[in-house]
Amino acid sequence: MEADPSAPVDLSSFCVSEKYGFLLTDPLTDLPEYYWIWMDLARNVPHLVQTHQLQARVAEMPLLSSSYLKGHRELRLARTALGFITMGYVWQDGAHQPAKVLPKVLAVPYCTVSKMLGLPPILVYADCVLANWWLRDPGRPMEIENIDTLFMIQGGDSCKGFFLVSVLVEQSACTGLQGLATVMNSMLTRDITAVQEGLTVVSDSIRRMAEVFKLIHKHVEPTMFYNSMRTFFMGWKDNPALPNSLWYEGVPEQPPGLNGLSAGQSSALQCFDLLLGVQYSDETGRSFQESMRAYMPPPHRQLLETVSSWPPLRHFVLWSSSQELRHSYNSCVLALADLRTYHLNVTARYITIPAGQAKLIHCPFGNSHARQETHGSGGSNFLPFLKGIRDDTKRALITDQ
């Protein structure tokens, strides 16, 4: 469905919450009793992987029908649970020895639920971040001490910290998304003052995202991320460890090779890119970013399409000849570029440095680690990719002619 640029944007129609942004509002913490085996296995993935029991436990699992799942939140919880079990199953024995077949008892319900939600059957950002949290005390603020994960993989407290910091970064984007809607709707009425106010909200939100992102250094240990967690985020597209991808047993239409978890699957950053008119100069980077939209919930994907189809903000700013508006626009661009620079530095600390340490100790799986050193779990060659997008963001600045 094409967006109507003459109609105001209502974020709630895209499943965007005023309080939580793209996060799933009040995720469920349990499924009906019929699905207890899924929840039990998903909650115990770290232990079952560590003791190499998960594959055996899945083999004993009955084939359950998905027809008893009711409503969007039950479907999201079921999919998230099945996703964690799937990643644990595939990578139980490490990056060098993945399972090549996902058994029918797991593959069939996972593909069924995924199809109902319009998502690919692999663990994505929408699962392990957007739907993988709950408030310990609903009456208290949403802070890292007051939220917890539903499911984890290997990595202990670092794994929990990685997911929870990501949850808080997403929540920090919620005001920016409201500002985005204000900007878009105010352009329709050519209200320069309101556009400027909306951009101020957007830039403040992006800076808040960057500030919250800094919590990662307190809650995630780099070598734990690289050596224990990262394998479980890898997909099976162009992965040399799975040259024939992953076979989903009992599924008539086999899914294509799928990318693993990536920050590119966050709709928030792509929304701000599209609003500010950031143009990706590299075809590979542009193609990768666009491909990541298939890993987002359909309503979030539709919001991106709506922002993309809107009259360009950059043209509006130039048309207005307002120096104040130009300053507000450039402030947003600089905040986004700064966030990307910080992301680049964090990625180097959590991947490049540990990878170099693995080489120094003559890791026996050198080829696997060589790919992990240069490629993100989503499949991109991350250093030039992140640098390129950061530089493309800076090029969106409006300079004096």
Side-chain angles (χ1 to χ4, degrees), residues 227 354-364:
N227 294 321
Q357 293 169 342
K359 284 181 180 180
L360 287 175
I361 61 173
H362 305 292
C363 174

Side-chain angles (χ1 to χ4, degrees), residues 10-259:
D10 175 10
L11 291 180
S12 64
S13 65
F14 300 101
C15 296
V16 178
S17 160
E18 185 172 343
K19 186 175 182 181
Y20 299 115
F22 287 115
L23 293 174
L24 179 64
T25 301
D26 300 326
L28 297 178
T29 57
D30 220 337
L31 288 173
E33 186 178 353
Y34 176 75
Y35 300 103
W36 73 268
I37 185 65
W38 291 355
M39 296 299 293
D40 181 58
L41 290 181
R43 286 170 176 149
N44 288 287
V45 161
H47 170 72
L48 294 173
V49 167
Q50 186 176 7
T51 56
H52 295 267
Q53 297 181 66
L54 183 58
Q55 292 179 358
R57 289 285 301 276
V58 169
E60 299 169 354
M61 195 170 79
L63 177 58
L64 301 182
S65 170
S66 306
S67 61
Y68 302 110
L69 293 166
K70 306 299 181 186
H72 181 77
R73 291 195 298 162
E74 278 195 8
L75 286 169
R76 289 288 292 274
L77 179 56
R79 189 192 129 81
T80 301
L82 292 169
F84 273 85
I85 298 169
T86 292
M87 301 312 268
Y89 186 96
V90 172
W91 302 113
Q92 173 183 285
D93 297 322
H96 59 292
Q97 196 176 354
K100 296 177 173 59
V101 177
L102 199 65
K104 182 178 181 179
V105 293
L106 184 53
V108 169
Y110 192 27
C111 287
T112 300
V113 171
S114 296
K115 187 174 183 180
M116 294 171 73
L117 289 169
L119 288 165
I122 190 170
L123 192 72
V124 300
Y125 190 88
D127 305 313
C128 59
V129 175
L130 302 186
N132 187 32
W133 67 279
W134 60 280
L135 278 173
R136 295 176 180 272
D137 181 352
R140 289 175 50 212
M142 193 169 177
E143 300 170 341
I144 200 159
E145 296 80 13
N146 192 37
I147 55 175
D148 206 345
T149 56
L150 299 170
F151 310 112
M152 295 204 303
I153 51 170
Q154 295 295 87
D157 288 342
S158 284
C159 176
K160 179 175 291 191
F162 179 76
F163 290 146
L164 294 183
V165 170
S166 300
V167 167
L168 291 175
V169 170
E170 281 293 325
Q171 197 270 337
S172 298
C174 70
T175 53
L177 296 171
Q178 299 299 319
L180 172 143
T182 297
V183 170
M184 293 172 65
N185 292 335
S186 300
M187 281 198 294
L188 295 179
T189 57
R190 299 196 171 189
D191 186 337
I192 294 174
T193 300
V195 170
Q196 185 176 334
E197 290 171 352
L199 285 173
T200 300
V201 172
V202 172
S203 61
D204 288 347
S205 176
I206 296 172
R207 290 190 180 91
R208 174 63 181 162
M209 291 169 71
E211 194 62 30
V212 170
F213 193 13
K214 293 177 183 178
L215 290 171
I216 196 168
H217 300 295
K218 180 179 179 181
H219 295 279
V220 185
E221 204 279 317
T223 55
M224 184 66 74
F225 174 82
Y226 185 82
N227 294 321
S228 296
M229 295 165 53
R230 199 159 172 265
T231 293
F232 296 89
F233 297 152
M234 294 195 303
W236 19 97
K237 181 178 181 180
D238 301 327
N239 189 329
L242 284 166
N244 298 314
S245 189
L246 179 71
W247 183 261
Y248 292 72
E249 186 181 43
V251 176
E253 294 183 20
Q254 287 296 305
L258 297 171
N259 291 110

